[in-house]
Amino acid sequence: MRRHGVRVLSPRGDFTAHAHATDDPAEIGPVDHVFLGLKATAYAACGPLVAPLLHERTTVVAAQNGIPWWYFHRHGGPYDGRRLESVDPAGAVSAVLAPERAVGCVVYAATELEAPGVVRHVEGTRFSLGEPGRGVSARCLELSGAMRAGGLKCPVEPDLRNDIWLKLLGNISFNPISALARATMRQMCRHGGTRRVIETMMRETLCVAEALGCEVGVSIERRLAGAERVGDHRTSTLQDLERGKPLELDVLLAAVVELAEITGVEVPTLRTVHAISDLLALRSAA
């Protein structure tokens, strides 16, 4: 990356970005915003990387799929401040990434790492931001302005949790199924039996979201149609499986099963797929 930059191959036009790259964050020092591109499985161990970048008001923006560790921070209501064991085991993530610093981010971009330093952009340029405590803050507007100046879509949402569930509707179903079946988005959508399983997983997920007061605002059929249009894209979970990396399924699937237990919602299909994909994750890590 130092020698050649990051090459991006995109329908919007190919380009090379020459970012300042270092393996020592102390060279950079404190910054206003830390944008994490790590998998959620790496958060608990990222303290030495993040600590040199923090000053008193530094925000930490985690561009992750699934349920974030800060989900119940400033949530309000009976679950306010609750910790989810599946995404923040024994508080290990909160210990290094304080929820007070968190700004939520939902990524609507499909990409693949084609080679070291080479990213293939399939579609999407939207990165939605939002405060755990809801509302529109100055720090979110500042970061949004910088992102939009770089040519990205970056709305600040008054309640980002609705966006979290909208994105999760696809990730919770397509990601584990793609790894289990070694299938692309188009293949899953066009296989009748698999499509019906995915529809059921989405319905159960919507029930959990509604029990927590969130509205997705998009029908399952429309969500499936959008996924099919992506074509023969391999989900990030399938890419990780093929490369022998840890599977980021706890924040996608285990977290929603845990939330279903908290809210008393029945999710039998999610539980079944979770059990099978969890075994896959354990075997792939062995």
Side-chain angles (χ1 to χ4, degrees), residues 67-84 132 134 161 165 207-214 258-265:
I67 301 296
W69 81 99
W70 53 260
Y71 188 84
F72 284 126
H73 175 62
R74 299 185 65 196
H75 180 275
Y79 306 120
D80 188 68
R82 185 159 186 159
R83 179 174 56 80
L84 294 174
R134 303 178 181 86
R161 289 180 180 84
W165 286 99
C207 289
V208 178
E210 289 167 2
L212 290 167
C214 289
E258 185 177 351
L259 288 168
E261 292 174 353
I262 291 171
T263 56
V265 176

Side-chain angles (χ1 to χ4, degrees), residues 20 25 29 56 60 77-78 100 104 107 119 133 163 185 189 207 239 252 280:
H20 177 65
E56 186 177 323
V60 174
E100 293 79 13
V107 179
V119 177
D163 276 56
M185 299 289 280
C189 288
C207 289
Q239 293 179 55
L252 300 181
L280 173 64

Side-chain angles (χ1 to χ4, degrees), residues 111-143:
T111 61
E112 295 187 20
L113 185 62
E114 193 157 288
V118 181
V119 177
R120 180 166 295 280
H121 172 229
V122 179
E123 65 139 21
T125 60
R126 180 178 163 195
F127 294 74
S128 296
L129 301 177
E131 286 284 350
R134 303 178 181 86
V136 176
S137 68
R139 63 181 186 171
C140 281
L141 290 173
E142 179 184 71
L143 181 57

Side-chain angles (χ1 to χ4, degrees), residues 177-283:
I177 296 295
S178 70
L180 292 166
R182 310 300 200 276
T184 67
M185 299 289 280
R186 191 199 312 270
Q187 290 166 342
M188 288 183 283
C189 288
R190 292 187 176 179
H191 184 271
T194 301
R195 187 184 181 102
R196 286 190 290 275
V197 171
I198 288 170
E199 288 173 346
T200 302
M201 294 177 74
M202 288 184 173
R203 280 195 295 272
E204 291 180 0
T205 302
L206 284 176
C207 289
V208 178
E210 289 167 2
L212 290 167
C214 289
E215 297 180 4
V216 172
V218 173
S219 69
I220 289 174
E221 192 57 39
R222 183 178 170 188
R223 190 69 180 83
L224 284 164
E228 189 170 352
R229 284 195 299 273
V230 174
D232 287 317
H233 172 64
R234 291 153 35 250
T235 70
S236 58
T237 302
L238 177 55
Q239 293 179 55
D240 287 341
L241 179 66
E242 292 172 342
R243 295 187 175 102
K245 295 182 177 181
L247 304 187
E248 193 183 34
L249 291 175
D250 285 345
V251 296
L252 300 181
L253 194 46
V256 178
V257 171
E258 185 177 351
L259 288 168
E261 292 174 353
I262 291 171
T263 56
V265 176
E266 296 295 324
V267 290
T269 306
L270 292 181
R271 288 183 181 278
T272 300
V273 175
H274 172 239
I276 300 169
S277 59
D278 187 55
L279 177 59
L280 173 64
L282 290 172
R283 287 178 57 83

